[in-house]
Amino acid sequence: MDRTSYAAMREGRWKPHSTRLLRHLSCKTPTRSSFLCDKTSLNGLENKVMAETNNNNKEKLEIVKDHTAMIHLLMLLSATLICYYNSLDCGFVFDDVSAIKENKDLRLGTPLPNLFSNDFWGTPMHKEQSHKSYRPLCVLTFRWNYAVGELDPWGYHLVNVLLHALVCILYYRVCLMFLSRTAGFVAALLFTVHPIHTEAVTGIVGRAELLSSIFFLSAFLSYAKCTRRHKETDWRYLISTVILVAVAMLCKEQGITVVAVCIVYEVFCVQKV
């Protein structure tokens, strides 16, 4: 030990090298609390990374679902056009003559309120000769067709084909409520090409069934949204359901049957009695 070190030791300012080394290591050595802090930070970072990964996976899954749904919709539309494109060249047959060619309610010179006081064939409801089939909204679409192309049947048939495509899309949405995406698409595709719809699509007067089906399915989908919350009723969707049921009835009388379907859905699917 040199004189300088000896003097520093006497004054208390000098410490052996081993003591200084231990103090230095004790400052650098992590304590238990620092380990816990590091572990907590690491867990927080890991959770954040996992959350971001899950969000990314959900976004990718939603994109895939959207693409799949779009492909399904295009396939349903294509199937409709393939099955019924040849009906565009057809003329007026059977009841089409009475409901369209001989119906004065389609003429622009006829007052519009007459549609709501006459039956489907243009006969006043109060007369004994009336068929009593009250479908003013369907007759209104015929009137729009007449305003565009008068008595050219091509436009009437085109509207029917497009309406059938819309019915199939809505039916596909209903199927997704109860089936997987693939099974729902297969069911909707079978519904699209089923020959039982031929008369409703190719016969122009079958538009009443098509329009009623559109608002029938829309009313059911609206009611299903209304019942998503078990503890409270979404009155917006309930009111829209009532309106859609009324519109379905004004297209064809059988639209009222959607009320029974909603009751069955409420009892067995929502309340699970």
Side-chain angles (χ1 to χ4, degrees), residues 5 61 70 91 137 183 205 224 227 260:
S5 300
L61 185 60
M70 184 60 65
L137 295 186
V205 293
T227 58

Side-chain angles (χ1 to χ4, degrees), residues 3-30:
R3 293 183 178 180
T4 304
S5 300
Y6 180 76
M9 184 179 65
R10 292 191 62 183
E11 295 176 0
R13 293 183 292 103
W14 184 88
K15 295 185 178 176
H17 179 72
S18 59
T19 304
R20 288 183 289 174
L21 180 61
L22 288 174
R23 177 172 293 182
H24 177 74
L25 290 176
S26 64
C27 295
K28 297 296 183 179
T29 303

